[in-house]
Amino acid sequence: MMRRKHLNHSLILGLLVACSLGAATCTSNRQKDTRQIPCDSQATNATDSLLQVLASDCGTKTRFGHQDDTLYGHQWWNQEGRSDVLETTGHYPAVFGWELGGIEHGDSCSLDSVSFDDIRRQIILADLRGGINTISWHLDNPLNGHSSWDKTNNTVQAILNDSTVQTKFRTWLGRLATFFTSLTRDDGTLVPILFRPFHEHSGNWFWWGSPYCTPQEYKSLWKLTQKILKSAHVHNLLYIYSPDNVPDNKTYFERYPGDDLVDVLGLDDYHRGGADGVADYTERTTKRLKMMAKEAYQRQKIYVFSETGSESLPMTNWYTQVLTPILRETYPAYVLVWRNAYNTPTHFFAPYKGNASEKDFKKFAEQKDIIMGK
Ligand code: BMA
């Protein structure tokens, strides 16, 4: 059941206005106070349970997540049990993000040089500890084999209409499906995954970005992807729709594939510009998250802050003074900050042992409304 003890004033006002429009609206709002239903009607029990767990805290508390947390960190690589978040707060994150770019080729290592066997092992370990796993996929451009960041026009159209390109895309999805169905728990069931395909599509940096395909093509790509994964017996996924920063709510939903194809409303949006950028970042993310909270409630979905952070943390109190107030306005089910690269000292988003933000981060993690892992 989705509880919302901390609904902010404008949200409450919005709901009151909606109710005052007629009894039917109120009735349907009451009916929404029930179980969340995964968009995959064959979703496994564990996948369904994960959705209920997230829904139970969405709106009242936020889980903290970190990308690639146990695989490597700031100036370390592949050391069993290590985690920059654990070493600074005493807790693992509650949510673990992983990246599968490269799996489409049957490669043994990802685009970030991490072995897929290690990623699988860390996903299963995180799950065993009670953690939640989410996956992004910076897949290459199937039209020409270049990277995700290749902006060749019409790749999406080619996937949809050119049989050679579609065949290749299907083969790539087959490899992705094999990975998803290899995430086995000791009892033989599969680890549930929050999958975030074709993310940040409102931007112009990936081949699936908004300048390179029409809204209809993007929706068809999403639909085709889900159909292929389902026909490959992948039923351990919750699907996250995650645009980047958008100017308005209409643009947020411009490429939304539909309530029957999405489980979670997401938002990717980073803080840039240090102290000078705080007002802008706070204003736009708060506004968007409030809209997502309202829409999620009406659509019986949940919402998350799927990617954010302030690279290199130029403000040493960023976690308690910038991120916390934003989260407290809406309490997305989780917030995920991006990776601490092992080989690029400035590419980090969570503090590490000895970093100037360490103390502030520990304080952040001790707050009662922030859920950390074990
Ligand atoms: C980006 C950067 C890249 C990385 C990619 C996929 O945001 O962190 O260095 O390769 O994500 O993880």
Side-chain angles (χ1 to χ4, degrees), residues 3 24 72 75 86 99 107 153 160 189 241 332-333:
R3 282 173 293 133
Y72 56 80
Q75 300 195 311
L86 176 69
E99 165 58 36
D107 291 348
N153 253 323
L160 298 172
T189 62
Y241 172 78

Side-chain angles (χ1 to χ4, degrees), residues 67-68 72 98-101 110-112 136-138 149 199-200 206 270 307 311 338-339 341 343-344 347 349:
Q67 181 75 6
D68 281 355
Y72 56 80
W98 315 103
E99 165 58 36
L100 296 186
S110 76
L111 81 168
D112 296 320
S136 54
W137 185 30
H138 289 75
W149 290 269
H199 63 302
E200 299 173 9
F206 297 132
Y270 284 81
E307 261 189 57
E311 187 171 12
W338 204 241
R339 67 198 195 108
N343 54 357
T344 313
H347 195 47
F349 296 84

Side-chain angles (χ1 to χ4, degrees), residues 181-195:
T181 51
S182 73
L183 300 170
T184 319
R185 288 171 163 167
D186 283 347
D187 64 1
T189 62
L190 293 176
V191 175
I193 298 291
L194 287 142
F195 182 41

